[in-house]
Amino acid sequence: MKTLFKARTRAAAVVGVLAGSLTLGLAGSASASSVPAWQLQVCSYGLYQTNVYWSGGGFMGVPAGQCRTAYWQRTDASTYMVHVDAYVNNGGYIASADVNVAQGAGLASGGVTAPYLWSF
């Protein structure tokens, strides 16, 4: 019984560290994305729709369990920073990020009771 408790404690600690590092990784600007240039992909991995708003008046609703992509017109700029605010469908704020869509940007939300946002 004692060994089982230690395994659960270690597993909980690993999950906590991973969640913390993913959330903290968004504190600066999101970069090194796997998304193609001039696109913003948002995925909602939680049990709720994620609504994102970006500078310039853009909006995208992403239903639970899905991903959606917004496209920008290509220019010669190598940096095109966009500020993104994410909310759950009931209006609760999740987080914000500054992303470079010229290089491609991906954001994902997750969590059930306390939603969080990370970049990919």
Short mmCIF file of all heavy atoms in Angstrom, two decimals, residues 31-107:
data_model
loop_
_atom_site.label_atom_id
_atom_site.label_comp_id
_atom_site.label_asym_id
_atom_site.label_seq_id
_atom_site.Cartn_x
_atom_site.Cartn_y
_atom_site.Cartn_z
N SER A 31 6.65 31.29 -29.90
CA SER A 31 7.48 31.17 -31.09
C SER A 31 7.80 29.70 -31.33
O SER A 31 7.39 28.83 -30.59
CB SER A 31 8.77 31.97 -30.93
OG SER A 31 9.49 31.48 -29.84
N ALA A 32 8.57 29.43 -32.38
CA ALA A 32 8.98 28.08 -32.75
C ALA A 32 7.77 27.19 -32.97
O ALA A 32 7.68 26.08 -32.47
CB ALA A 32 9.93 27.50 -31.70
N SER A 33 6.83 27.67 -33.74
CA SER A 33 5.58 26.97 -33.96
C SER A 33 5.71 25.92 -35.05
O SER A 33 6.51 26.03 -35.96
CB SER A 33 4.49 27.97 -34.34
OG SER A 33 3.30 27.30 -34.64
N SER A 34 4.86 24.90 -34.97
CA SER A 34 4.77 23.89 -36.01
C SER A 34 3.71 24.26 -37.05
O SER A 34 3.48 23.52 -37.99
CB SER A 34 4.43 22.54 -35.38
OG SER A 34 3.20 22.61 -34.69
N VAL A 35 3.06 25.40 -36.90
CA VAL A 35 2.02 25.88 -37.80
C VAL A 35 2.68 26.63 -38.97
O VAL A 35 3.62 27.38 -38.75
CB VAL A 35 1.03 26.79 -37.04
CG1 VAL A 35 -0.02 27.36 -37.97
CG2 VAL A 35 0.40 26.03 -35.89
N PRO A 36 2.19 26.45 -40.21
CA PRO A 36 2.78 27.16 -41.35
C PRO A 36 2.72 28.68 -41.21
O PRO A 36 1.87 29.22 -40.49
CB PRO A 36 1.92 26.70 -42.54
CG PRO A 36 1.35 25.39 -42.11
CD PRO A 36 1.15 25.52 -40.61
N ALA A 37 3.61 29.36 -41.91
CA ALA A 37 3.68 30.82 -41.86
C ALA A 37 2.36 31.45 -42.25
O ALA A 37 1.62 30.91 -43.06
CB ALA A 37 4.79 31.31 -42.79
N TRP A 38 2.07 32.59 -41.62
CA TRP A 38 0.89 33.41 -41.87
C TRP A 38 -0.42 32.73 -41.47
O TRP A 38 -1.47 33.00 -42.01
CB TRP A 38 0.85 33.92 -43.31
CG TRP A 38 2.05 34.77 -43.57
CD1 TRP A 38 3.18 34.39 -44.25
CD2 TRP A 38 2.28 36.10 -43.11
NE1 TRP A 38 4.08 35.43 -44.23
CE2 TRP A 38 3.55 36.48 -43.55
CE3 TRP A 38 1.52 36.99 -42.37
CZ2 TRP A 38 4.09 37.73 -43.27
CZ3 TRP A 38 2.06 38.24 -42.09
CH2 TRP A 38 3.34 38.60 -42.54
N GLN A 39 -0.31 31.84 -40.49
CA GLN A 39 -1.50 31.18 -39.96
C GLN A 39 -1.47 31.18 -38.43
O GLN A 39 -0.41 31.13 -37.83
CB GLN A 39 -1.58 29.72 -40.43
CG GLN A 39 -1.73 29.57 -41.91
CD GLN A 39 -1.80 28.12 -42.34
OE1 GLN A 39 -2.20 27.25 -41.57
NE2 GLN A 39 -1.42 27.85 -43.58
N LEU A 40 -2.65 31.24 -37.84
CA LEU A 40 -2.82 31.07 -36.40
C LEU A 40 -3.78 29.90 -36.22
O LEU A 40 -4.92 29.96 -36.66
CB LEU A 40 -3.41 32.32 -35.74
CG LEU A 40 -3.89 32.16 -34.29
CD1 LEU A 40 -2.72 31.84 -33.37
CD2 LEU A 40 -4.62 33.41 -33.82
N GLN A 41 -3.30 28.84 -35.60
CA GLN A 41 -4.15 27.68 -35.33
C GLN A 41 -4.43 27.64 -33.83
O GLN A 41 -3.53 27.76 -33.02
CB GLN A 41 -3.49 26.38 -35.76
CG GLN A 41 -4.40 25.18 -35.58
CD GLN A 41 -3.78 23.90 -36.10
OE1 GLN A 41 -2.61 23.63 -35.84
NE2 GLN A 41 -4.55 23.13 -36.83
N VAL A 42 -5.71 27.47 -33.50
CA VAL A 42 -6.12 27.39 -32.09
C VAL A 42 -6.86 26.07 -31.91
O VAL A 42 -7.77 25.74 -32.68
CB VAL A 42 -7.05 28.58 -31.71
CG1 VAL A 42 -7.49 28.46 -30.27
CG2 VAL A 42 -6.33 29.90 -31.94
N CYS A 43 -6.47 25.31 -30.88
CA CYS A 43 -7.10 24.04 -30.55
C CYS A 43 -7.70 24.12 -29.16
O CYS A 43 -7.10 24.71 -28.26
CB CYS A 43 -6.09 22.90 -30.59
SG CYS A 43 -5.38 22.65 -32.24
N SER A 44 -8.88 23.54 -29.00
CA SER A 44 -9.56 23.53 -27.71
C SER A 44 -9.63 22.09 -27.20
O SER A 44 -10.42 21.29 -27.68
CB SER A 44 -10.98 24.09 -27.87
OG SER A 44 -11.63 24.12 -26.63
N TYR A 45 -8.75 21.75 -26.26
CA TYR A 45 -8.68 20.40 -25.74
C TYR A 45 -9.49 20.21 -24.46
O TYR A 45 -9.55 19.13 -23.93
CB TYR A 45 -7.22 20.00 -25.48
CG TYR A 45 -6.40 19.92 -26.74
CD1 TYR A 45 -5.31 20.75 -26.96
CD2 TYR A 45 -6.74 19.02 -27.75
CE1 TYR A 45 -4.56 20.67 -28.12
CE2 TYR A 45 -6.00 18.93 -28.91
CZ TYR A 45 -4.91 19.76 -29.10
OH TYR A 45 -4.18 19.68 -30.24
N GLY A 46 -10.09 21.26 -23.95
CA GLY A 46 -10.90 21.15 -22.74
C GLY A 46 -12.30 20.68 -23.07
O GLY A 46 -12.60 20.23 -24.18
N LEU A 47 -13.19 20.81 -22.12
CA LEU A 47 -14.58 20.38 -22.28
C LEU A 47 -15.48 21.56 -22.66
O LEU A 47 -16.68 21.50 -22.48
CB LEU A 47 -15.09 19.74 -20.99
CG LEU A 47 -14.31 18.50 -20.53
CD1 LEU A 47 -14.84 18.02 -19.19
CD2 LEU A 47 -14.38 17.40 -21.57
N TYR A 48 -14.91 22.63 -23.18
CA TYR A 48 -15.64 23.86 -23.43
C TYR A 48 -15.13 24.48 -24.72
O TYR A 48 -14.04 24.17 -25.20
CB TYR A 48 -15.41 24.84 -22.28
CG TYR A 48 -13.95 24.95 -21.93
CD1 TYR A 48 -13.10 25.78 -22.65
CD2 TYR A 48 -13.39 24.16 -20.93
CE1 TYR A 48 -11.76 25.83 -22.39
CE2 TYR A 48 -12.04 24.21 -20.66
CZ TYR A 48 -11.24 25.04 -21.40
OH TYR A 48 -9.90 25.08 -21.14
N GLN A 49 -15.93 25.36 -25.31
CA GLN A 49 -15.50 26.12 -26.48
C GLN A 49 -14.51 27.19 -26.03
O GLN A 49 -14.69 27.80 -24.98
CB GLN A 49 -16.69 26.78 -27.17
CG GLN A 49 -16.28 27.66 -28.33
CD GLN A 49 -17.44 28.10 -29.18
OE1 GLN A 49 -18.27 27.28 -29.54
NE2 GLN A 49 -17.50 29.39 -29.49
N THR A 50 -13.49 27.42 -26.84
CA THR A 50 -12.53 28.48 -26.58
C THR A 50 -12.74 29.60 -27.60
O THR A 50 -12.77 29.33 -28.80
CB THR A 50 -11.09 27.96 -26.68
OG1 THR A 50 -10.91 26.90 -25.74
CG2 THR A 50 -10.08 29.06 -26.40
N ASN A 51 -12.92 30.81 -27.12
CA ASN A 51 -13.08 31.97 -27.99
C ASN A 51 -11.81 32.80 -27.93
O ASN A 51 -11.35 33.13 -26.85
CB ASN A 51 -14.28 32.81 -27.55
CG ASN A 51 -15.58 32.06 -27.67
OD1 ASN A 51 -15.78 31.31 -28.63
ND2 ASN A 51 -16.45 32.22 -26.71
N VAL A 52 -11.25 33.12 -29.10
CA VAL A 52 -10.05 33.95 -29.15
C VAL A 52 -10.34 35.23 -29.92
O VAL A 52 -11.07 35.22 -30.91
CB VAL A 52 -8.84 33.20 -29.76
CG1 VAL A 52 -8.38 32.08 -28.87
CG2 VAL A 52 -9.15 32.68 -31.14
N TYR A 53 -9.78 36.31 -29.42
CA TYR A 53 -9.89 37.62 -30.04
C TYR A 53 -8.47 38.10 -30.27
O TYR A 53 -7.62 37.95 -29.41
CB TYR A 53 -10.60 38.60 -29.10
CG TYR A 53 -11.99 38.15 -28.71
CD1 TYR A 53 -12.19 37.27 -27.65
CD2 TYR A 53 -13.12 38.59 -29.41
CE1 TYR A 53 -13.46 36.85 -27.30
CE2 TYR A 53 -14.39 38.18 -29.06
CZ TYR A 53 -14.55 37.30 -28.01
OH TYR A 53 -15.81 36.89 -27.66
N TRP A 54 -8.19 38.69 -31.43
CA TRP A 54 -6.85 39.19 -31.66
C TRP A 54 -6.90 40.64 -32.12
O TRP A 54 -7.93 41.12 -32.58
CB TRP A 54 -6.07 38.32 -32.65
CG TRP A 54 -6.70 38.13 -33.99
CD1 TRP A 54 -6.62 38.96 -35.06
CD2 TRP A 54 -7.50 37.03 -34.40
NE1 TRP A 54 -7.32 38.45 -36.11
CE2 TRP A 54 -7.87 37.25 -35.74
CE3 TRP A 54 -7.94 35.86 -33.78
CZ2 TRP A 54 -8.65 36.36 -36.45
CZ3 TRP A 54 -8.72 34.98 -34.50
CH2 TRP A 54 -9.06 35.23 -35.81
N SER A 55 -5.73 41.30 -31.94
CA SER A 55 -5.62 42.71 -32.30
C SER A 55 -6.03 42.89 -33.75
O SER A 55 -5.77 42.05 -34.60
CB SER A 55 -4.19 43.20 -32.06
OG SER A 55 -3.25 42.35 -32.68
N GLY A 56 -6.71 43.99 -34.00
CA GLY A 56 -7.23 44.25 -35.33
C GLY A 56 -8.69 43.84 -35.48
O GLY A 56 -9.27 43.95 -36.54
N GLY A 57 -9.29 43.34 -34.40
CA GLY A 57 -10.71 43.03 -34.42
C GLY A 57 -11.07 41.62 -34.83
O GLY A 57 -12.23 41.34 -35.12
N GLY A 58 -10.14 40.70 -34.88
CA GLY A 58 -10.43 39.33 -35.27
C GLY A 58 -11.03 38.50 -34.15
O GLY A 58 -10.79 38.75 -32.97
N PHE A 59 -11.82 37.50 -34.53
CA PHE A 59 -12.45 36.59 -33.57
C PHE A 59 -12.54 35.20 -34.20
O PHE A 59 -12.77 35.07 -35.40
CB PHE A 59 -13.85 37.06 -33.20
CG PHE A 59 -14.66 36.00 -32.50
CD1 PHE A 59 -14.48 35.76 -31.15
CD2 PHE A 59 -15.58 35.22 -33.19
CE1 PHE A 59 -15.20 34.77 -30.50
CE2 PHE A 59 -16.32 34.23 -32.55
CZ PHE A 59 -16.12 34.01 -31.20
N MET A 60 -12.37 34.18 -33.34
CA MET A 60 -12.57 32.81 -33.77
C MET A 60 -13.08 31.99 -32.60
O MET A 60 -12.49 32.03 -31.51
CB MET A 60 -11.25 32.22 -34.30
CG MET A 60 -11.35 30.82 -34.81
SD MET A 60 -9.88 30.25 -35.75
CE MET A 60 -8.51 30.83 -34.78
N GLY A 61 -14.19 31.28 -32.79
CA GLY A 61 -14.71 30.37 -31.79
C GLY A 61 -14.28 28.96 -32.14
O GLY A 61 -14.46 28.52 -33.27
N VAL A 62 -13.68 28.25 -31.17
CA VAL A 62 -13.18 26.91 -31.42
C VAL A 62 -13.94 25.94 -30.51
O VAL A 62 -13.75 25.94 -29.30
CB VAL A 62 -11.66 26.81 -31.15
CG1 VAL A 62 -11.15 25.42 -31.49
CG2 VAL A 62 -10.91 27.88 -31.92
N PRO A 63 -14.84 25.11 -31.09
CA PRO A 63 -15.61 24.17 -30.28
C PRO A 63 -14.70 23.17 -29.56
O PRO A 63 -13.59 22.87 -30.01
CB PRO A 63 -16.48 23.45 -31.31
CG PRO A 63 -16.54 24.37 -32.48
CD PRO A 63 -15.22 25.07 -32.49
N ALA A 64 -15.18 22.65 -28.44
CA ALA A 64 -14.43 21.66 -27.65
C ALA A 64 -14.00 20.49 -28.54
O ALA A 64 -14.79 19.99 -29.34
CB ALA A 64 -15.29 21.17 -26.50
N GLY A 65 -12.74 20.10 -28.39
CA GLY A 65 -12.22 18.96 -29.12
C GLY A 65 -11.86 19.24 -30.58
O GLY A 65 -11.59 18.31 -31.33
N GLN A 66 -11.83 20.49 -30.98
CA GLN A 66 -11.53 20.83 -32.37
C GLN A 66 -10.41 21.85 -32.47
O GLN A 66 -10.04 22.48 -31.49
CB GLN A 66 -12.77 21.38 -33.07
CG GLN A 66 -13.89 20.38 -33.21
CD GLN A 66 -15.03 20.94 -34.03
OE1 GLN A 66 -14.86 21.86 -34.84
NE2 GLN A 66 -16.21 20.39 -33.83
N CYS A 67 -9.90 22.02 -33.69
CA CYS A 67 -8.91 23.05 -34.01
C CYS A 67 -9.46 23.89 -35.16
O CYS A 67 -10.16 23.38 -36.02
CB CYS A 67 -7.58 22.43 -34.44
SG CYS A 67 -6.75 21.48 -33.15
N ARG A 68 -9.14 25.16 -35.14
CA ARG A 68 -9.52 26.07 -36.23
C ARG A 68 -8.30 26.90 -36.59
O ARG A 68 -7.42 27.13 -35.77
CB ARG A 68 -10.65 27.01 -35.79
CG ARG A 68 -11.95 26.31 -35.45
CD ARG A 68 -12.83 26.22 -36.68
NE ARG A 68 -13.94 25.31 -36.51
CZ ARG A 68 -15.17 25.65 -36.15
NH1 ARG A 68 -15.44 26.90 -35.88
NH2 ARG A 68 -16.11 24.73 -36.06
N THR A 69 -8.27 27.37 -37.84
CA THR A 69 -7.13 28.14 -38.33
C THR A 69 -7.60 29.46 -38.93
O THR A 69 -8.57 29.48 -39.69
CB THR A 69 -6.35 27.34 -39.39
OG1 THR A 69 -5.96 26.08 -38.84
CG2 THR A 69 -5.12 28.09 -39.85
N ALA A 70 -6.90 30.54 -38.60
CA ALA A 70 -7.12 31.85 -39.21
C ALA A 70 -5.90 32.13 -40.09
O ALA A 70 -4.78 31.73 -39.78
CB ALA A 70 -7.25 32.93 -38.13
N TYR A 71 -6.14 32.81 -41.21
CA TYR A 71 -5.10 33.07 -42.19
C TYR A 71 -4.88 34.57 -42.35
O TYR A 71 -5.82 35.33 -42.32
CB TYR A 71 -5.48 32.46 -43.55
CG TYR A 71 -5.73 30.98 -43.48
CD1 TYR A 71 -6.98 30.48 -43.16
CD2 TYR A 71 -4.70 30.09 -43.72
CE1 TYR A 71 -7.21 29.11 -43.09
CE2 TYR A 71 -4.92 28.72 -43.65
CZ TYR A 71 -6.18 28.24 -43.33
OH TYR A 71 -6.40 26.89 -43.26
N TRP A 72 -3.61 34.97 -42.54
CA TRP A 72 -3.26 36.36 -42.80
C TRP A 72 -2.67 36.47 -44.19
O TRP A 72 -2.08 35.52 -44.71
CB TRP A 72 -2.23 36.85 -41.78
CG TRP A 72 -2.81 37.39 -40.53
CD1 TRP A 72 -2.97 38.70 -40.23
CD2 TRP A 72 -3.35 36.67 -39.43
NE1 TRP A 72 -3.57 38.83 -39.01
CE2 TRP A 72 -3.81 37.60 -38.49
CE3 TRP A 72 -3.49 35.32 -39.14
CZ2 TRP A 72 -4.40 37.23 -37.29
CZ3 TRP A 72 -4.08 34.94 -37.95
CH2 TRP A 72 -4.53 35.89 -37.04
N GLN A 73 -2.80 37.67 -44.78
CA GLN A 73 -2.20 37.95 -46.08
C GLN A 73 -0.70 38.00 -45.93
O GLN A 73 -0.17 38.70 -45.05
CB GLN A 73 -2.73 39.29 -46.61
CG GLN A 73 -2.21 39.68 -47.96
CD GLN A 73 -2.74 38.77 -49.07
OE1 GLN A 73 -3.90 38.39 -49.04
NE2 GLN A 73 -1.89 38.43 -50.02
N ARG A 74 0.02 37.29 -46.77
CA ARG A 74 1.48 37.30 -46.72
C ARG A 74 2.02 38.67 -47.11
O ARG A 74 1.51 39.32 -48.01
CB ARG A 74 2.07 36.26 -47.67
CG ARG A 74 1.82 34.86 -47.25
CD ARG A 74 2.47 33.88 -48.23
NE ARG A 74 2.22 32.52 -47.85
CZ ARG A 74 3.01 31.82 -47.04
NH1 ARG A 74 4.12 32.37 -46.57
NH2 ARG A 74 2.72 30.59 -46.72
N THR A 75 3.07 39.09 -46.42
CA THR A 75 3.79 40.31 -46.76
C THR A 75 5.28 40.00 -46.74
O THR A 75 5.68 38.86 -46.50
CB THR A 75 3.49 41.45 -45.76
OG1 THR A 75 4.10 41.11 -44.51
CG2 THR A 75 2.01 41.66 -45.58
N ASP A 76 6.11 41.00 -46.94
CA ASP A 76 7.55 40.80 -46.89
C ASP A 76 8.08 40.83 -45.45
O ASP A 76 9.25 40.60 -45.23
CB ASP A 76 8.27 41.88 -47.70
CG ASP A 76 8.03 41.71 -49.19
OD1 ASP A 76 7.74 40.57 -49.62
OD2 ASP A 76 8.11 42.71 -49.92
N ALA A 77 7.22 41.14 -44.50
CA ALA A 77 7.66 41.24 -43.10
C ALA A 77 8.03 39.87 -42.55
O ALA A 77 7.38 38.87 -42.83
CB ALA A 77 6.55 41.86 -42.26
N SER A 78 9.08 39.82 -41.77
CA SER A 78 9.46 38.56 -41.10
C SER A 78 8.85 38.49 -39.70
O SER A 78 8.87 37.44 -39.07
CB SER A 78 10.98 38.44 -41.01
OG SER A 78 11.50 39.50 -40.22
N THR A 79 8.31 39.61 -39.23
CA THR A 79 7.65 39.65 -37.93
C THR A 79 6.32 40.37 -38.07
O THR A 79 6.27 41.49 -38.58
CB THR A 79 8.51 40.40 -36.89
OG1 THR A 79 9.78 39.75 -36.80
CG2 THR A 79 7.86 40.40 -35.53
N TYR A 80 5.27 39.70 -37.65
CA TYR A 80 3.94 40.29 -37.64
C TYR A 80 3.28 39.85 -36.34
O TYR A 80 2.64 38.79 -36.28
CB TYR A 80 3.14 39.85 -38.87
CG TYR A 80 1.85 40.62 -39.05
CD1 TYR A 80 1.85 41.80 -39.78
CD2 TYR A 80 0.66 40.19 -38.49
CE1 TYR A 80 0.68 42.53 -39.97
CE2 TYR A 80 -0.50 40.90 -38.66
CZ TYR A 80 -0.50 42.07 -39.40
OH TYR A 80 -1.66 42.77 -39.56
N MET A 81 3.51 40.63 -35.30
CA MET A 81 3.04 40.26 -33.96
C MET A 81 1.55 40.56 -33.81
O MET A 81 1.09 41.64 -34.19
CB MET A 81 3.83 40.99 -32.88
CG MET A 81 5.31 40.65 -32.88
SD MET A 81 5.69 38.90 -32.68
CE MET A 81 5.24 38.64 -30.98
N VAL A 82 0.83 39.60 -33.26
CA VAL A 82 -0.59 39.73 -33.01
C VAL A 82 -0.84 39.39 -31.54
O VAL A 82 -0.34 38.37 -31.04
CB VAL A 82 -1.41 38.77 -33.91
CG1 VAL A 82 -2.88 38.82 -33.59
CG2 VAL A 82 -1.16 39.09 -35.38
N HIS A 83 -1.59 40.25 -30.85
CA HIS A 83 -1.95 39.99 -29.46
C HIS A 83 -3.25 39.19 -29.45
O HIS A 83 -4.23 39.58 -30.07
CB HIS A 83 -2.12 41.29 -28.68
CG HIS A 83 -2.47 41.07 -27.25
ND1 HIS A 83 -1.53 40.71 -26.31
CD2 HIS A 83 -3.66 41.10 -26.61
CE1 HIS A 83 -2.13 40.56 -25.14
NE2 HIS A 83 -3.43 40.78 -25.30
N VAL A 84 -3.26 38.05 -28.75
CA VAL A 84 -4.42 37.16 -28.70
C VAL A 84 -4.90 37.03 -27.26
O VAL A 84 -4.10 36.78 -26.36
CB VAL A 84 -4.06 35.76 -29.26
CG1 VAL A 84 -5.25 34.82 -29.20
CG2 VAL A 84 -3.53 35.87 -30.68
N ASP A 85 -6.20 37.21 -27.05
CA ASP A 85 -6.84 36.96 -25.75
C ASP A 85 -7.75 35.76 -25.90
O ASP A 85 -8.52 35.67 -26.87
CB ASP A 85 -7.68 38.17 -25.30
CG ASP A 85 -6.83 39.38 -24.99
OD1 ASP A 85 -5.81 39.23 -24.29
OD2 ASP A 85 -7.18 40.49 -25.44
N ALA A 86 -7.69 34.83 -24.95
CA ALA A 86 -8.51 33.62 -25.02
C ALA A 86 -9.47 33.57 -23.83
O ALA A 86 -9.10 33.89 -22.70
CB ALA A 86 -7.62 32.38 -25.01
N TYR A 87 -10.69 33.16 -24.11
CA TYR A 87 -11.76 33.05 -23.11
C TYR A 87 -12.49 31.72 -23.29
O TYR A 87 -12.57 31.20 -24.41
CB TYR A 87 -12.79 34.17 -23.29
CG TYR A 87 -12.24 35.55 -23.06
CD1 TYR A 87 -11.58 36.23 -24.07
CD2 TYR A 87 -12.38 36.16 -21.83
CE1 TYR A 87 -11.08 37.50 -23.86
CE2 TYR A 87 -11.88 37.45 -21.62
CZ TYR A 87 -11.23 38.10 -22.64
OH TYR A 87 -10.72 39.36 -22.43
N VAL A 88 -13.05 31.18 -22.22
CA VAL A 88 -13.94 30.04 -22.37
C VAL A 88 -15.28 30.58 -22.84
O VAL A 88 -15.55 31.78 -22.78
CB VAL A 88 -14.09 29.23 -21.06
CG1 VAL A 88 -12.78 28.55 -20.69
CG2 VAL A 88 -14.58 30.09 -19.93
N ASN A 89 -16.14 29.69 -23.32
CA ASN A 89 -17.39 30.11 -23.94
C ASN A 89 -18.29 30.92 -23.01
O ASN A 89 -19.04 31.76 -23.47
CB ASN A 89 -18.14 28.89 -24.46
CG ASN A 89 -19.20 29.27 -25.47
OD1 ASN A 89 -19.02 30.20 -26.24
ND2 ASN A 89 -20.31 28.57 -25.45
N ASN A 90 -18.22 30.69 -21.70
CA ASN A 90 -19.08 31.44 -20.77
C ASN A 90 -18.50 32.81 -20.43
O ASN A 90 -19.02 33.49 -19.56
CB ASN A 90 -19.33 30.64 -19.50
CG ASN A 90 -18.07 30.43 -18.68
OD1 ASN A 90 -17.01 30.94 -19.02
ND2 ASN A 90 -18.16 29.67 -17.61
N GLY A 91 -17.42 33.21 -21.10
CA GLY A 91 -16.85 34.53 -20.87
C GLY A 91 -15.68 34.56 -19.92
O GLY A 91 -15.06 35.59 -19.75
N GLY A 92 -15.32 33.44 -19.28
CA GLY A 92 -14.19 33.40 -18.36
C GLY A 92 -12.86 33.55 -19.08
O GLY A 92 -12.61 32.88 -20.08
N TYR A 93 -12.01 34.44 -18.59
CA TYR A 93 -10.70 34.71 -19.19
C TYR A 93 -9.76 33.54 -18.94
O TYR A 93 -9.69 33.00 -17.84
CB TYR A 93 -10.12 35.99 -18.58
CG TYR A 93 -8.73 36.32 -19.00
CD1 TYR A 93 -8.47 36.85 -20.25
CD2 TYR A 93 -7.66 36.12 -18.14
CE1 TYR A 93 -7.19 37.17 -20.65
CE2 TYR A 93 -6.37 36.45 -18.52
CZ TYR A 93 -6.14 36.97 -19.77
OH TYR A 93 -4.86 37.28 -20.15
N ILE A 94 -9.02 33.12 -19.98
CA ILE A 94 -8.02 32.05 -19.83
C ILE A 94 -6.63 32.68 -19.74
O ILE A 94 -5.96 32.59 -18.73
CB ILE A 94 -8.06 31.05 -21.00
CG1 ILE A 94 -9.44 30.39 -21.10
CG2 ILE A 94 -6.98 29.99 -20.82
CD1 ILE A 94 -9.60 29.51 -22.32
N ALA A 95 -6.18 33.32 -20.83
CA ALA A 95 -4.84 33.90 -20.86
C ALA A 95 -4.69 34.73 -22.14
O ALA A 95 -5.56 34.72 -23.00
CB ALA A 95 -3.78 32.81 -20.82
N SER A 96 -3.55 35.41 -22.25
CA SER A 96 -3.21 36.19 -23.44
C SER A 96 -1.84 35.77 -23.94
O SER A 96 -1.03 35.23 -23.18
CB SER A 96 -3.17 37.68 -23.12
OG SER A 96 -4.44 38.14 -22.75
N ALA A 97 -1.58 36.03 -25.20
CA ALA A 97 -0.26 35.74 -25.77
C ALA A 97 -0.01 36.70 -26.92
O ALA A 97 -0.94 37.15 -27.58
CB ALA A 97 -0.21 34.30 -26.26
N ASP A 98 1.25 36.99 -27.15
CA ASP A 98 1.68 37.73 -28.33
C ASP A 98 2.35 36.72 -29.25
O ASP A 98 3.31 36.06 -28.85
CB ASP A 98 2.65 38.84 -27.96
CG ASP A 98 1.97 39.93 -27.16
OD1 ASP A 98 0.85 40.32 -27.51
OD2 ASP A 98 2.57 40.38 -26.17
N VAL A 99 1.83 36.57 -30.47
CA VAL A 99 2.33 35.56 -31.38
C VAL A 99 2.77 36.20 -32.69
O VAL A 99 2.22 37.22 -33.10
CB VAL A 99 1.28 34.46 -31.65
CG1 VAL A 99 0.95 33.71 -30.38
CG2 VAL A 99 0.01 35.04 -32.26
N ASN A 100 3.75 35.61 -33.34
CA ASN A 100 4.24 36.08 -34.62
C ASN A 100 3.61 35.22 -35.71
O ASN A 100 4.06 34.12 -35.99
CB ASN A 100 5.76 35.98 -34.67
CG ASN A 100 6.34 36.52 -35.96
OD1 ASN A 100 5.62 36.95 -36.85
ND2 ASN A 100 7.66 36.48 -36.07
N VAL A 101 2.54 35.72 -36.35
CA VAL A 101 1.86 34.93 -37.37
C VAL A 101 2.68 34.84 -38.66
O VAL A 101 2.43 33.95 -39.48
CB VAL A 101 0.43 35.45 -37.66
CG1 VAL A 101 -0.45 35.28 -36.45
CG2 VAL A 101 0.43 36.86 -38.16
N ALA A 102 3.66 35.72 -38.85
CA ALA A 102 4.53 35.62 -40.03
C ALA A 102 5.30 34.31 -40.01
O ALA A 102 5.61 33.75 -41.05
CB ALA A 102 5.49 36.80 -40.09
N GLN A 103 5.60 33.80 -38.83
CA GLN A 103 6.31 32.53 -38.69
C GLN A 103 5.35 31.37 -38.42
O GLN A 103 5.78 30.23 -38.31
CB GLN A 103 7.33 32.62 -37.56
CG GLN A 103 8.42 33.62 -37.85
CD GLN A 103 9.41 33.75 -36.70
OE1 GLN A 103 9.27 33.11 -35.67
NE2 GLN A 103 10.42 34.57 -36.89
N GLY A 104 4.07 31.67 -38.27
CA GLY A 104 3.09 30.64 -37.92
C GLY A 104 2.98 30.55 -36.41
O GLY A 104 3.98 30.65 -35.70
N ALA A 105 1.76 30.40 -35.91
CA ALA A 105 1.56 30.36 -34.46
C ALA A 105 0.46 29.37 -34.13
O ALA A 105 -0.55 29.28 -34.82
CB ALA A 105 1.19 31.74 -33.94
N GLY A 106 0.66 28.64 -33.05
CA GLY A 106 -0.35 27.70 -32.58
C GLY A 106 -0.59 27.90 -31.11
O GLY A 106 0.35 28.05 -30.33
N LEU A 107 -1.86 27.94 -30.72
CA LEU A 107 -2.25 28.05 -29.31
C LEU A 107 -3.25 26.95 -29.01
O LEU A 107 -4.09 26.62 -29.85
CB LEU A 107 -2.88 29.41 -29.03
CG LEU A 107 -1.99 30.63 -29.20
CD1 LEU A 107 -2.82 31.91 -29.04
CD2 LEU A 107 -0.85 30.61 -28.19
#
